[in-house]
Amino acid sequence: MKSRLWISSLAFIFTASLVACSANNGGGQQTPKPGETAAKDNKENKEPAVAQKQTYKIFRNFGAPEYPADGGRGKKEVLAALDKAGLKNIDFNVTLASGTEYYTKLNLFASSGELPDFFNVDIPSLTRFADEGLIIPLDDLIKNSPNIQKLIKQSDLEALKYKGKVYGLPVGYRPEPFNGPDTNGFTVRQDWLDQLGLKQPKTLDEFYKVLQAFTNNDPDKNGKKDTYGLSAAKPANPQLTPFSAIFGAYGIIPAFWHERDGQLKQGMVLPEAKEVLALLQKWFKEGLIDPEFVIMETKQLEEKAIGSKVGIFEGSAFNVDPKQPINLSMKKAVPTSNLQILAPPVGPNGKQGWPENAPAYNDIRAISAKTKNPEQLMKLIDWSATEEGFPLVTYGVDKEHYTFDKAKNRVEMKVPSYSELYAQGFSNPIRFIQVVDRRWMTEEALGAMETTNKYTVKNQFWKTTQAMLDYPDLPKLWSEYYSKIVTGTWSVDKWDEFVTKYYSQGGKAIEQQVNEEWKKKGK
């Protein structure tokens, strides 16, 4: 039920493994001072020990301004259910931020020594925090969490291991086939296609013609030339690339590793990348691409989409569901609006695809080394994956916010949008572990999910190598050349200069180590 654009949905593609074993394996528990131990006090007073209430600070990378600062009704319901389940003396406070703002705040917390207890991480942040001993390994905690173990993929845990330890909690998946990891795609205004008498584009040429029509033929019928065919938000991480499906039409993804003549090479240095840059630059110069995509935040993109300023934008299959905030807002503005997910366009050699999602579904969470009683925190997380805890946390109160049809295995939401659940303190803001469950979605939206999971480009190497850590700024080099070439600031031939710099500024060492590791595992 997450509504998130693709930028929040891909992970740091250089890696899906976590790094650096924390120096503090004790979960940050402090050694009591002499004379202050509970055991001594209780012995002297001959009174039973009373567990102190532990309040866990949780920081989520999620945009929900409706969520009440005090947790609202949702918090009260969850705490009551925890108490009923025998998990007493637990409390939690959830704060939210999203996109680049989230990581700016997270880094400030880290630098001030005030990391929250449980929080989202991307790989660069997790790498640094593990190196600095700011987070703890989770292997034993996961082993003692039976409900979590039933839902998370062993392949995700393996992909997230570094030196035999797991530092991040991945998502879980329900077993239904529509609960796949890939959700991103080109979201299209189907009503604009219908208005202009166009079919959904299948090939790059057809895609180009739709962009022209959406830009030049007044699809919103307001008598103004104020629409763009294509838009996207800037990636949260510089190694991610807007309009990745256009690269996918040529069989590559810039940051993915692809086999060429028995060697792995990153897509950005393959000649196909130059072809795509030339195509995107052409579209940009013709005014088909929103010029603000280089600097635009996710919220701004959503506002443009709701305001009928773009016809195709990078988004999520979740947006097809009418209960999602962006769809709901768009229908309020334009009642006839209709969002659909396109299959990625087919390129000149019959190739197509969006980047496959990184292991762990781009939703990795860590526990601070300063967290008191992390075992109790994990019990809270594990409870939220039980048959009792999961529906309450995810969907709200039975019969009031949702109903469940056991025979059909479908969840029917009784609220007009998930924004209302957020406002009451339920659903995504307090999903302590993300469990992919789309039984609530409309058939049309589930079909969109099938599309996003069907057409993907695979990455041949997800692991981390030391050279990647030694040259962390290399992705920024690609980001700079990509944006300046696409917008016409630089000529397409500057890509050749990029390749030279790529190899001289760390790419050579990275490529060598990647191939060594790849060949060790028999490819």
Side-chain angles (χ1 to χ4, degrees):
M1 76 175 47
K2 269 187 170 179
S3 175
R4 54 180 169 179
L5 296 179
W6 74 277
I7 63 164
S8 59
S9 53
L10 287 174
F12 179 40
I13 39 65
F14 272 144
T15 172
S17 61
L18 305 186
V19 296
C21 185
S22 169
N24 186 343
N25 289 328
Q29 299 184 40
Q30 298 179 350
T31 302
K33 296 178 182 179
E36 293 183 353
T37 64
K40 182 176 180 180
D41 290 343
N42 289 327
K43 183 176 180 180
E44 291 176 351
N45 297 327
K46 297 182 180 180
E47 294 179 358
V50 178
Q52 292 185 341
K53 177 174 287 188
Q54 182 64 49
T55 300
Y56 295 103
K57 295 180 180 179
I58 299 171
F59 189 35
R60 290 291 320 283
N61 185 0
F62 188 80
E66 314 93 326
Y67 181 75
D70 64 357
R73 178 186 174 189
K75 179 176 178 178
K76 295 176 182 177
E77 295 279 358
V78 168
L79 292 179
L82 284 169
D83 189 74
K84 184 177 180 181
L87 296 175
K88 303 178 184 296
N89 299 310
I90 295 179
D91 198 357
F92 62 89
N93 291 321
V94 176
T95 55
L96 307 173
S98 61
T100 54
E101 179 190 6
Y102 174 86
Y103 285 103
T104 298
K105 289 185 175 181
L106 184 65
N107 288 329
L108 287 174
F109 289 146
S111 62
S112 63
E114 298 179 353
L115 274 176
D117 296 300
F118 188 52
F119 51 93
N120 290 101
V121 286
D122 60 4
I123 296 297
S125 299
L126 193 143
T127 298
R128 179 163 59 88
F129 296 164
D131 280 336
E132 296 174 1
L134 299 179
I135 56 179
I136 62 172
L138 306 178
D139 305 74
D140 291 339
L141 293 175
I142 292 174
K143 287 178 182 178
N144 293 319
S145 303
N147 298 292
I148 289 176
Q149 286 195 75
K150 292 176 184 178
L151 295 168
I152 58 178
K153 294 182 177 181
Q154 188 62 35
S155 58
D156 280 351
L157 290 179
E158 289 299 322
L160 294 177
K161 279 187 176 181
Y162 181 77
K163 295 182 178 179
K165 296 289 183 181
V166 174
Y167 283 86
L169 181 68
V171 303
Y173 294 87
R174 283 193 54 86
E176 294 83 4
F178 47 76
N179 288 321
D182 298 298
T183 65
N184 300 311
F186 277 134
T187 305
V188 65
R189 285 289 296 270
Q190 180 65 43
D191 54 311
W192 283 14
L193 289 174
D194 297 339
Q195 179 74 30
L196 299 174
L198 300 170
K199 295 181 178 180
Q200 289 191 1
K202 303 297 184 184
T203 66
L204 271 181
D205 288 340
E206 293 174 356
F207 193 84
Y208 170 58
K209 291 177 181 178
V210 168
L211 297 186
Q212 289 178 307
F214 280 178
T215 303
N216 301 318
N217 296 352
D218 193 21
D220 59 347
K221 299 302 177 183
N222 68 351
K224 301 176 182 179
K225 191 176 184 299
D226 59 353
T227 56
Y228 291 101
L230 183 63
S231 190
K234 70 176 182 179
N237 293 315
Q239 68 278 4
L240 306 181
T241 304
F243 317 127
S244 289
I246 308 304
F247 288 89
Y250 287 78
I252 67 166
I253 299 299
F256 278 12
W257 292 92
H258 303 280
E259 184 176 0
R260 293 291 187 274
D261 300 322
Q263 295 285 321
L264 290 187
K265 289 186 174 293
Q266 223 166 359
M268 61 186 72
V269 301
L270 295 174
E272 295 93 327
K274 187 175 183 179
E275 294 182 67
V276 177
L277 290 173
L279 181 64
L280 290 174
Q281 187 186 87
K282 176 179 182 294
W283 292 355
F284 188 89
K285 288 182 176 180
E286 291 182 17
L288 309 182
I289 298 177
D290 181 355
E292 294 186 341
F293 85 90
V294 175
I295 60 171
M296 191 155 47
E297 299 289 347
T298 300
K299 183 179 179 181
Q300 293 174 289
L301 176 63
E302 292 176 343
E303 290 172 349
K304 284 194 173 189
I306 293 168
S308 294
K309 299 302 180 185
V310 295
I312 298 176
F313 60 96
E314 289 187 332
S316 166
F318 286 103
N319 293 333
V320 174
D321 194 281
K323 286 187 173 66
Q324 286 297 301
I326 186 171
N327 197 317
L328 188 72
S329 297
M330 187 173 289
K331 285 195 176 294
K332 287 182 179 179
V334 183
T336 58
S337 63
N338 182 3
L339 292 179
Q340 298 292 326
I341 285 288
L342 295 175
V346 178
N349 296 316
K351 297 178 180 179
Q352 67 182 132
W354 277 90
E356 69 168 338
N357 221 325
Y361 195 54
N362 306 328
D363 192 340
I364 305 170
R365 309 185 191 194
I367 294 179
S368 168
K370 289 186 176 181
T371 297
K372 296 180 180 179
N373 199 345
E375 295 81 8
Q376 188 82 335
L377 171 58
M378 189 60 86
K379 287 180 181 179
L380 162 63
I381 299 168
D382 191 60
W383 168 85
S384 73
T386 63
E387 292 184 2
E388 295 75 28
F390 177 76
L392 176 63
V393 168
T394 308
Y395 299 119
V397 178
D398 187 20
K399 303 295 190 300
E400 178 181 345
H401 297 123
Y402 77 98
T403 57
F404 176 59
D405 188 326
K406 186 174 182 180
K408 295 181 179 179
N409 192 31
R410 293 299 300 272
V411 173
E412 180 180 352
M413 301 307 300
K414 301 178 73 65
V415 293
S417 76
Y418 288 96
S419 179
E420 183 171 320
L421 281 180
Y422 304 160
Q424 294 188 45
F426 292 102
S427 197
N428 282 308
I430 61 166
R431 293 178 73 177
F432 304 105
I433 178 174
Q434 182 72 20
V435 177
V436 178
D437 179 16
R438 302 183 182 124
R439 293 175 295 169
W440 54 273
M441 297 182 72
T442 63
E443 292 297 332
E444 191 174 40
L446 291 178
M449 286 294 174
E450 292 179 9
T451 297
T452 57
N453 279 276
K454 182 177 181 180
Y455 304 102
T456 58
V457 178
K458 304 299 182 183
N459 184 15
Q460 298 300 313
F461 189 85
W462 282 110
K463 295 289 185 178
T464 304
T465 69
Q466 183 59 46
M468 292 177 186
L469 305 179
D470 293 340
Y471 299 99
D473 293 332
L474 189 60
K476 296 179 182 178
L477 183 69
W478 164 252
S479 179
E480 179 185 15
Y481 274 80
Y482 171 84
S483 60
K484 290 185 176 179
I485 291 174
V486 170
T487 57
T489 304
W490 289 346
S491 72
V492 176
D493 288 336
K494 289 280 281 187
W495 174 83
D496 300 279
E497 178 182 283
F498 160 76
V499 174
T500 299
K501 287 187 176 181
Y502 169 93
Y503 281 110
S504 65
Q505 295 181 18
K508 182 178 180 181
I510 292 173
E511 186 177 288
Q512 180 179 346
Q513 289 185 6
V514 165
N515 277 281
E516 289 173 355
E517 291 297 318
W518 180 60
K519 290 176 180 178
K520 282 180 184 178
K521 295 185 177 297
K523 303 181 182 181

